[in-house]
Amino acid sequence: MSVTTSRTWRDRPLVLLALALALVSAVFAAQTSASTRAAAAGSQPCDLYAAGGTPCVAAHSTTRALYSAYNGRLYQVRRASDGATRDIGVLSAGGYADAAAQDVFCAGTSCLITVLYDQSGRGNHLTQAPPGGFQGPAAGGYDNLAEASAAPVTVGGHKAYGVFVAPGTGYRDNSTNGIATGDQPEGMYAVLDGTHYNGGCCFDYGNAETNSRDNGNGTMETIYFGNSRTWGYGSGNGPWVMADLENGLFSGVNRGYNAGNPSVGHRFLTAAVKGGPNHWAIRSGNAQSGGLATAYDGPRPNATGYNPMKKEGAIILGIGGDNSNGSAGTFYEGVLTSGFPSDATENAVQSNINAAGYAPSAVAGAPTVGSRVSLRATTSCCTADYLRHNTADSNAVIAATSSSSPAADRAAATWTVRAGLGDASCVSFESADKPGQYLRHYDFRLRVDTVDTTLARLDATFCPQAAHNGQGVSLGSANYPADFVRHYTYAAYVASDGGTHAWDSATAWADDTSWVVTSPLA
């Protein structure tokens, strides 16, 4: 008994010491964890730019917060069915977009992105671009707004949406606060879909003219992404990250070709441009992993009008400074800074972008380019009906068709899926029995026709999205983002939900615009 007591008494200080050490260790671990969390929380892109002495003066994203403390609005969507709007924010401060809020708000109808909010607090929000040197396709010469569900991705494992820019789509702010003007230094980056581009002018993000017109050499400074060779280009076949400085897409110091600017092909692309007095640079990299490569870093172009620069301080997305709107691309996030960022700061931002975890998100049930398919209606009245063309007048309709139907009927309801003629990230449907003719809309009616103009190629391009009724896919018009392939009284149209035409009727719109992609009937 005494021995046991003695051992217990002698061991007690050791036990107490062990407990004290454990407590200190736990406190230290908690402090370290809190410190780590605080460091991580303070390392979003605009936190990093601020720490580098070049703070963000505009910050736009539909996927995540670009400041660790930001807990506000990312973007706004407008619902087609009733015109109501909804601001989409983040799940938590410094976090990812609340895409579920958009999905609930837009369920059974379509939505357009109406505003990209500026997270910097300066009010540099992007809205529907007005007409300028070029007219847009929307009412009053404005550009189209992007369909809100057209570019699904995941970021950090969370569902999100990008801004899908088809030709004719564009955003702008001509009255900004704090954006560089004249020859003042600035930087900018954007995270883009590196597989969605074209050779049209101009898929830009950055600093542009305040009157939506071409005001001469050096009046804008933006990131450009695409494979245009009209003004400048780099090595390979493109696409390239270049700088749109007005009246010139520059891939380096010279007009035209610059061997040091490589073609890039990352699914998620980080593109960066920065400029100051007689100094500018282009950098790019894989937004999912790795660092930034410098394609050019040196003096302003050796052409008249670019030194000194005459920047005006508007902000554009998806268009050129004069509202040229023939471009295609997808935008996820981007900023403009005050001051010329160091490479070290940009490298830190790139590391943050890598850590954000961008990943593609396929549209379930979408048709595969190169395949032969048939498209079955999902409305309860018509589940044995397929989209086909008439033989008499080439108009598209739905009609009951099966494996036992005459061969001509089965062939008329069969399509070969091609890369989109007007936007290669979408699809076009070539008639199986009329090779060289495609499904297209003309005056909103769908028909099979020869496609031989820029407008016709866009008319024949459709972008698959999650089905409005959950069955199959819905097919959005590339050049009318609020309109989808729909059957109405057995004829086929591109139709909005609740528009001014009879075929825009809200009745059964979600069902009528949803199609199951099946094996080919012929």
Side-chain angles (χ1 to χ4, degrees), residues 139-152:
Y142 279 69
D143 292 337
N144 286 332
L145 294 166
E147 216 288 331
S149 301

Side-chain angles (χ1 to χ4, degrees), residues 66-157:
L66 301 179
Y67 293 83
S68 61
Y70 189 76
N71 197 24
R73 306 172 297 178
L74 296 180
Y75 62 103
Q76 182 187 85
V77 295
R78 184 176 69 221
R79 192 163 57 193
S81 57
D82 59 2
T85 60
R86 170 72 184 264
D87 289 338
I88 306 300
V90 291
L91 294 168
S92 61
Y96 300 100
D98 185 5
Q102 174 183 313
D103 290 341
V104 170
F105 182 74
C106 301
T109 185
S110 67
C111 283
L112 298 175
I113 297 174
T114 48
V115 184
L116 278 75
Y117 290 111
D118 172 21
Q119 299 179 31
S120 77
R122 291 178 174 268
N124 294 320
H125 311 310
L126 297 177
T127 58
Q128 188 172 15
F134 289 84
Q135 298 283 301
Y142 279 69
D143 292 337
N144 286 332
L145 294 166
E147 216 288 331
S149 301
V153 291
T154 62
V155 190

Side-chain angles (χ1 to χ4, degrees), residues 318-344:
I319 52 176
D322 58 1
N323 198 46
S324 47
N325 51 29
S327 57
T330 299
F331 172 90
Y332 302 109
E333 65 177 71
V335 310
L336 281 77
T337 72
S338 174
F340 190 96
S342 68
D343 285 0

Side-chain angles (χ1 to χ4, degrees), residues 17 27 60 71 100 291 317 321 351 416 445 492-493 498:
L17 177 61
V27 169
H60 307 105
N71 197 24
L317 171 60
S351 294
T416 301
R445 185 74 192 267
Y493 301 87

